[in-house]
Amino acid sequence: MPVTRDYRDLNTIKLFTRINGVLVNETPLRIGTGGENLLEAPVDIAVYRVSDVPVIPGSSLKGALRQLAESILASKGHEAHDPWDFEKMEEEMENGNVCVICGLFGSTRLASHVKIFDARPLDPGKARTFTKTGVAINREFGGAWGGLLYTEELVVPNVEWDFKMDIINIRVFREADPSDERASLLRSLFDILMDPGISIGARKSAGHGLIRLRKMSWRVYKIEGGKLTLEDEGEVGKFG
Ligand SMILES: [Zn+2]
């Protein structure tokens, strides 16, 4: 009999886990905004900022973790469907047999069971940036047009960022729920995020954007009759 995974439970929140941690970018980092006006921007490709402070958007972190989750599943022989396969997502919802990836990160039909907040620098003064000049290769015209010079902005390495994530209705801590594949998958994601880390943003192939989770604490809350109570809390990981 096939395993049925009905993850359509978000109308009732029974269990809520808040993760707090510190991310460190070990190499230069740029989560770009893209699309700067080349004539007006001081650099062609700038770092994403909120109120003048560089920020790692939660959506970028979530996207990177989703990709990692897909490759973990693929390594176990479970091929994930395309994130834009609307028909498949529709079918999953109707059958009440949602795939693990959608059951965790959401789909067009199902809200996400995880929420990742924007990561801000713990000390905004240390989130300095530098610019680099590169040569863009014009793929269409190749050598005939030569290279096009551009400047890009990157955040210096070893900035500490505030990591915050919520997990809804999945028991990941203190012990991962053995009956929920998403719980062990999340544990694997946290393990990899701690060591060796994951790459986010631009120029991953050049080794840029390697981030690691340096420390992490979790709090599990139970919600019963509209009341939120702290059930358990703890810490995971390497310190220093
Ligand atoms: Zn799915």
Side-chain angles (χ1 to χ4, degrees):
M1 255 207 27
V3 185
T4 301
R5 306 180 193 93
D6 194 342
Y7 299 139
R8 298 172 298 179
D9 60 349
L10 286 170
N11 52 335
T12 338
I13 298 176
K14 295 188 194 97
L15 196 70
F16 172 86
T17 305
R18 163 72 47 97
I19 308 288
N20 282 105
V22 177
L23 290 169
V24 178
N25 62 300
E26 299 200 335
T27 56
L29 169 72
R30 176 168 64 75
I31 306 288
T33 45
E36 276 86 1
N37 185 330
L38 296 189
L39 293 174
E40 285 172 19
V43 286
D44 297 333
I45 317 169
V47 161
Y48 176 67
R49 282 183 169 78
V50 174
S51 310
D52 285 337
V53 177
V55 162
I56 305 174
S59 55
S60 300
L61 290 169
K62 192 177 164 190
L65 288 178
R66 184 182 182 127
Q67 260 189 355
L68 179 61
E70 284 173 1
S71 61
I72 291 172
L73 286 185
S75 74
K76 292 178 178 168
H78 306 290
E79 214 57 60
H81 62 78
D82 190 279
W84 308 110
D85 191 343
F86 301 124
E87 224 170 275
K88 177 77 184 161
M89 291 185 270
E90 192 79 24
E91 188 191 301
E92 285 184 356
M93 277 303 272
E94 264 155 38
N95 300 341
N97 190 8
V98 177
C99 77
V100 175
I101 297 290
C102 291
L104 201 49
F105 296 98
S107 73
T108 47
R109 289 289 312 277
L110 181 69
S112 181
H113 282 70
V114 297
K115 178 177 169 64
I116 302 179
F117 295 79
D118 287 353
R120 291 159 206 287
L122 296 186
D123 179 355
K126 285 188 179 157
R128 292 189 309 271
T129 62
F130 64 100
T131 54
K132 227 170 94 169
T133 304
V135 181
I137 306 299
N138 187 318
R139 281 170 217 264
E140 243 174 276
F141 301 104
W145 281 63
L148 197 65
L149 283 180
Y150 69 96
T151 52
E152 72 173 321
E153 185 188 28
L154 295 142
V155 177
V156 296
N158 296 316
V159 175
E160 292 183 318
W161 310 81
D162 169 36
F163 178 66
K164 190 162 96 175
M165 174 173 173
D166 290 344
I167 305 166
I168 296 157
N169 291 352
I170 306 172
R171 183 172 290 284
V172 185
F173 300 106
R174 176 170 306 256
E175 300 297 333
D177 177 355
S179 69
D180 190 338
E181 297 155 274
R182 300 171 303 174
S184 55
L185 185 57
L186 276 170
R187 289 292 280 261
S188 304
L189 292 179
F190 289 132
D191 286 347
I192 293 170
L193 199 49
M194 277 186 249
D195 189 10
I198 61 169
S199 294
I200 56 164
R203 305 195 163 271
K204 293 193 274 273
S205 57
H208 285 357
L210 174 65
I211 57 161
R212 284 176 69 173
L213 188 59
R214 193 167 278 177
K215 54 181 167 181
M216 182 177 112
S217 64
W218 49 267
R219 282 199 180 111
V220 178
Y221 297 90
K222 249 197 332 218
I223 298 151
E224 273 170 341
K227 269 178 73 181
L228 187 87
T229 42
L230 180 66
E231 186 198 270
D232 197 6
E233 60 185 320
E235 283 179 341
V236 187
K238 300 165 170 58
F239 297 86

